[in-house]
């Protein structure tokens, strides 16, 4: 039986439900995770960008996306070098302070800084800290089977921790739950692209982000209830520029930054928390569920600077995102000290220049609190387009 951890939004107005979602996303004490643990549930924390949450779900664990937090890394600073991105430090900070308790931590070698993350966590906690090795060469004909085997390794570890054997039928049931979730998230992004005036940028962000904090069944119930209400909204379109935000694949911009951008333009597509939306289509439930999940990661997936797939040139994927969203401009952002993100900015801007698509280049940090100067720059950029 699943443990409900977030039902405050039920029987509330749309505005109140969205407010509660925003509050939960910004709450660095992880109340939903605490409720899950207090009821006897086990928690798997996984660092950015992608993790096959269906495996943890099938074992009865709560998969939690480790994405940093709006806190100062007072304790964690001493565990890292100075010139590293903030998300590494704040993620460890909430664990060191006891706000986030896990039974298993899984990281990925997505960059030079993150490749040592599991070892750093492992020196500070008693629970297992593992690395999931996603294929370095997804173009290999053996990559799907390799990844299936890697998923099997993680599954066996999860079984040891939970004391529960995960059967193929368990996995198929979880695939079905997550397929429903993927469909609902696609519907949310349809609203962003087709009628962006019906939902604010910050609310759309929080409706995605909350998926990494609560069981997927609860997230599905939330979206099934709120999305029809959002579609029925009475807000009118305004004369705003349609913008794609690129650069939120790992460290997340502060919600106040998303809110500020939403005041000045319509964010009609983005890569915020792309790992939660990595698989773009339903994963087949027939056949070997782990192989199907591995194949979907490779063949039915989005893109990010930390996956190198010759079939998915990232600058071409960005141009496709811009075209599908009918965007007028792009905000090409990167977290400070993020080597993959900063490197891709070069390729993105060259591609946008070739197509004559206006863009604004910027950096952010999850703990930044002042946005006045950035807001003025963004407004000037957008006004130049609007009145050109």
């Amino acid at each position: 039986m699943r443990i409900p951890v977030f039902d405050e939004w039920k029987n509330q107005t749309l505005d109140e439900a969205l407010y509660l979602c925003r509050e939960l996303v910004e709450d660095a004490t992880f109340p939903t995770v605490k409720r899950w643990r207090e009821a006897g549930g086990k928690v798997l924390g996984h660092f950015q960008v992608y993790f096959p949450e269906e495996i943890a779900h099938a074992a009865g664990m709560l998969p939690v996306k480790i994405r940093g937090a709006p806190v100062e890394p007072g304790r964690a600073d001493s565990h890292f070098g100075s010139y590293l991105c903030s998300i590494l430090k704040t993620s460890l900070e909430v664990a060191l302070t006891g706000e986030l308790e896990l039974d298993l931590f899984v990281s990925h070698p997505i960059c030079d800084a993150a490749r040592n993350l599991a070892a750093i966590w492992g020196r500070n906690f008693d629970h297992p800290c593992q690395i999931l090795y996603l294929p370095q060469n997804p173009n290999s004909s053996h990559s799907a089977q390799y990844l299936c085997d890697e998923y099997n390794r993680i599954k066996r570890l999860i079984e040891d921790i939970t004391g529960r054997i995960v059967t193929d039928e368990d996995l198929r049931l979880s695939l079905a739950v997550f397929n429903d979730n993927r469909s609902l998230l696609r519907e949310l992004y349809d609203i962003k692209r087709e009628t962006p005036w019906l939902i604010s940028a910050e609310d759309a962000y929080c409706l995605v982000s909350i998926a990494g904090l609560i069981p997927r069944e609860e997230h599905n119930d939330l979206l099934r209830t709120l999305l029809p209400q959002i579609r029925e909204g009475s807000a009118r379109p305004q004369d705003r520029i349609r913008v794609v935000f690129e650069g939120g694949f790992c460290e997340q911009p502060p919600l106040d930054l998303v809110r500020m951008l939403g005041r000045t333009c319509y964010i009609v597509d983005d890569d915020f928390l792309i790992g939660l939306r990595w698989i773009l289509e339903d994963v087949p439930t027939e056949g070997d569920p782990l192989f199907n999940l591995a194949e979907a990661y490779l063949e039915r997936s989005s893109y990010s600077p930390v996956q190198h797939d010759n079939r998915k040139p990232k600058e071409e994927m960005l141009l496709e995102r811009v075209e599908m969203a009918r965007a007028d401009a792009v905000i090409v952002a990167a977290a400070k000290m993020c080597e993959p993100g900063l490197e891709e900015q070069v390729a993105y801007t060259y591609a946008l220049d070739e197509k004559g698509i206006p863009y604004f280049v910027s950096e952010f940090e999850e703990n930044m609190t002042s946005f006045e100067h950035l807001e003025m720059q963004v407004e000037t950029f957008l006004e130049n387009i609007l009145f050109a």
Side-chain angles (χ1 to χ4, degrees), residues 185 189 208 270-280 302:
L185 288 174
Y189 270 73
V208 176
D270 56 71
D271 65 344
F272 295 141
L273 293 163
I274 194 63
L276 294 172
R277 302 179 290 116
W278 181 259
I279 296 177
L280 301 175
S302 187

Side-chain angles (χ1 to χ4, degrees), residues 85 87 116 208 213 218 287 310 318-319 355 364 373:
C85 56
I87 184 175
N116 296 317
V208 176
L213 297 168
E218 290 193 48
N310 293 332
L318 172 58
L319 293 175
K355 295 295 183 180
F364 64 85
H373 183 59

Side-chain angles (χ1 to χ4, degrees), residues 282-349:
D282 287 355
V283 180
T285 55
E286 303 82 11
D288 183 340
L290 280 187
F291 186 86
N292 292 345
L293 195 55
E295 189 268 346
Y297 169 82
L298 297 165
E299 306 295 342
R300 308 165 190 259
S301 55
S302 187
Y303 67 98
S304 85
V306 298
Q307 188 201 44
H308 306 285
D309 189 333
N310 293 332
R311 299 166 301 176
K312 297 190 295 185
K314 287 175 277 294
E315 55 271 32
E316 293 183 14
M317 299 290 282
L318 172 58
L319 293 175
E320 182 178 329
R321 175 174 280 165
V322 171
E323 180 180 1
M324 293 293 291
R326 304 190 308 281
D328 305 302
V330 180
I331 294 176
V332 184
K336 291 183 179 179
M337 307 295 178
C338 175
E339 290 185 10
L342 292 167
E343 286 175 358
E344 287 302 328
Q345 280 188 334
V346 178
Y348 289 153
T349 55

Side-chain angles (χ1 to χ4, degrees), residues 147-385:
L147 185 55
C148 180
D149 294 341
E150 187 69 357
Y151 285 175
N152 255 311
R153 179 180 68 84
I154 295 295
K155 179 174 78 74
R156 291 192 298 271
L157 177 63
I158 288 172
E159 290 173 336
D160 290 342
I161 292 170
T162 60
R164 171 180 171 178
I165 299 299
V166 177
T167 66
D168 283 356
E169 186 57 29
D170 292 330
L171 288 165
R172 292 188 184 102
L173 291 173
S174 291
L175 286 177
V177 170
F178 278 74
N179 282 342
D180 287 345
N181 190 249
R182 283 182 269 271
S183 176
L184 290 163
L185 288 174
R186 290 196 295 268
E187 183 179 347
L188 171 61
Y189 270 73
D190 285 343
I191 295 173
K192 282 169 60 84
R193 282 186 289 266
E194 301 302 324
T195 53
W197 51 90
L198 293 180
I199 183 168
S200 70
E202 64 191 278
D203 287 335
Y205 176 89
C206 288
L207 285 178
V208 176
S209 180
I210 203 171
L213 297 168
I214 63 177
R216 272 308 192 283
E217 291 87 347
E218 290 193 48
H219 192 234
N220 289 349
D221 289 343
L222 175 74
L223 293 180
R224 285 196 192 98
T225 302
L226 298 190
L227 292 182
Q229 297 179 42
I230 292 169
R231 285 193 182 277
E232 294 168 1
S234 59
R236 299 292 183 183
Q238 299 179 7
D239 191 14
R240 295 188 186 180
I241 296 295
R242 298 169 61 90
V243 170
V244 164
F245 184 98
E246 191 78 15
F249 64 95
C250 186
E251 183 171 326
Q252 296 301 291
L255 194 58
D256 282 341
L257 174 55
V258 178
R259 183 178 294 119
M260 178 273 287
L261 293 174
R263 290 197 301 264
T264 58
C265 63
Y266 289 134
I267 300 179
V268 290
D269 209 341
D270 56 71
D271 65 344
F272 295 141
L273 293 163
I274 194 63
L276 294 172
R277 302 179 290 116
W278 181 259
I279 296 177
L280 301 175
E281 305 171 14
D282 287 355
V283 180
T285 55
E286 303 82 11
D288 183 340
L290 280 187
F291 186 86
N292 292 345
L293 195 55
E295 189 268 346
Y297 169 82
L298 297 165
E299 306 295 342
R300 308 165 190 259
S301 55
S302 187
Y303 67 98
S304 85
V306 298
Q307 188 201 44
H308 306 285
D309 189 333
N310 293 332
R311 299 166 301 176
K312 297 190 295 185
K314 287 175 277 294
E315 55 271 32
E316 293 183 14
M317 299 290 282
L318 172 58
L319 293 175
E320 182 178 329
R321 175 174 280 165
V322 171
E323 180 180 1
M324 293 293 291
R326 304 190 308 281
D328 305 302
V330 180
I331 294 176
V332 184
K336 291 183 179 179
M337 307 295 178
C338 175
E339 290 185 10
L342 292 167
E343 286 175 358
E344 287 302 328
Q345 280 188 334
V346 178
Y348 289 153
T349 55
Y350 270 108
L352 294 169
D353 277 332
E354 287 183 359
K355 295 295 183 180
I357 299 172
Y359 59 87
F360 178 84
V361 178
S362 182
E363 288 185 345
F364 64 85
E365 191 171 27
E366 60 183 357
N367 285 329
M368 64 190 294
T369 56
S370 177
F371 307 97
E372 291 83 1
H373 183 59
L374 178 59
E375 184 170 14
M376 182 175 65
Q377 290 179 316
V378 172
E379 286 178 347
T380 301
F381 166 70
L382 296 173
E383 287 174 359
N384 285 338
I385 301 171

Side-chain angles (χ1 to χ4, degrees), residues 5-6 29 36 71 86 122 170 181 185 252 287 366:
V5 298
F6 181 59
T29 66
W36 181 270
V71 298
S86 175
D170 292 330
N181 190 249
L185 288 174
Q252 296 301 291
E366 60 183 357

